[in-house]
Amino acid sequence: MAAASRRRDTPPPRTGATEAETLRGFLDYLRTSIAAKVESAPEPQVRTAGVPSGTNLLGLLHHLTYVERATFLGERVTDWPSTFEAPAASTVAEIVADYREAVAGANRVLDDCTDLGAEVPRRGGKAPSVRWALTHMIEETGRHAGHADILREQIDGATGR
């Protein structure tokens, strides 16, 4: 393992006073953290499983891309386990760009929302509220950002956001 690259951790974000500003501020904070953790990780370690379950850094971000699209854009996913596997032909830069594109699309939906009780876009079935979707994405992104922190430290000792 390379010498540890320790950075000062970034404190939680200062957000606006409204519920929507607070939820979006924390979600964007986590989104930025996990993308940064992945984009500077070296090949092939970024694809190498760091735990017996097969979880790897690039797969986590690939999965979160699908979760963003499903949650905020109403895209249907039929095989969630496969979302943890980034295509071998895709570069780290492409996976990060796909994630950022999904986030931008989700943010466009959120920008048009004036009521957190409103439903997010959904194709078929009852859609959750924007409030639920934001809370779920904070939980999902935070959970996988924690996984990414550990995997990245195992790769090259890098810590912090």
Side-chain angles (χ1 to χ4, degrees):
M1 181 184 313
S5 171
R6 302 209 179 261
R7 296 180 287 176
R8 281 179 27 119
D9 211 3
T10 306
R14 299 282 184 207
T15 62
T18 70
E19 180 182 10
E21 290 170 330
T22 300
L23 292 171
R24 288 190 66 181
F26 272 86
L27 179 55
D28 283 339
Y29 169 72
L30 291 167
R31 287 165 163 169
T32 300
S33 296
I34 194 163
K37 189 69 62 170
V38 173
E39 73 184 339
S40 61
E43 287 274 13
Q45 295 92 332
V46 71
R47 297 173 191 275
T48 304
V51 292
S53 68
T55 302
N56 65 75
L57 201 52
L58 196 58
L60 287 173
L61 196 64
H62 188 255
H63 169 71
L64 284 172
T65 301
Y66 280 88
V67 179
E68 289 277 353
R69 290 177 181 151
T71 302
F72 293 113
L73 305 175
E75 290 187 15
R76 194 154 178 232
V77 177
T78 58
D79 183 8
W80 281 106
S82 72
T83 67
F84 282 96
E85 300 170 22
S90 296
T91 67
V92 173
E94 289 168 338
I95 297 294
V96 171
D98 287 347
Y99 176 70
R100 288 191 170 128
E101 182 180 314
V103 166
N107 281 340
R108 283 190 294 277
V109 168
L110 293 170
D111 289 344
D112 291 339
C113 176
T114 58
D115 176 9
L116 293 179
E119 293 181 352
V120 293
R122 182 74 56 207
R123 293 186 182 113
K126 175 128 175 67
S129 70
V130 172
R131 178 181 290 106
W132 183 92
L134 281 165
T135 303
H136 170 64
M137 281 309 305
I138 290 167
E139 178 272 331
E140 182 84 7
T141 307
R143 177 180 182 176
H144 292 312
H147 296 144
D149 287 341
I150 292 166
L151 292 171
R152 182 59 192 264
E153 188 172 356
Q154 288 178 333
I155 289 171
D156 62 5
T159 63
R161 291 188 224 314

